[in-house]
Coordinates of all heavy atoms in Angstrom, one line a residue:
V68 N 14.5 4.4 9.4 CA 14.3 3.0 9.0 C 12.8 2.9 8.6 O 11.9 3.5 9.1 CB 14.6 2.0 10.2 CG1 13.7 2.3 11.4 CG2 14.5 0.6 9.7
A82 N 17.0 14.0 1.2 CA 18.1 14.4 2.1 C 19.3 14.9 1.2 O 19.9 15.9 1.6 CB 18.6 13.2 2.9
R98 N 11.0 -5.7 14.1 CA 12.3 -6.4 14.3 C 13.4 -5.5 13.8 O 14.0 -5.8 12.7 CB 12.3 -7.7 13.4 CG 11.4 -8.8 13.9 CD 11.4 -10.0 12.9 NE 12.7 -10.5 12.8 CZ 13.0 -11.7 13.3 NH1 12.1 -12.5 13.9 NH2 14.2 -12.2 13.2
V121 N 0.8 -2.6 18.3 CA 1.3 -1.4 18.9 C 2.2 -1.7 20.1 O 3.3 -1.2 20.3 CB 0.1 -0.5 19.4 CG1 0.6 0.7 20.2 CG2 -0.7 0.0 18.3

Side-chain angles (χ1 to χ4, degrees):
V68 64
R98 287 176 64 108
V121 172

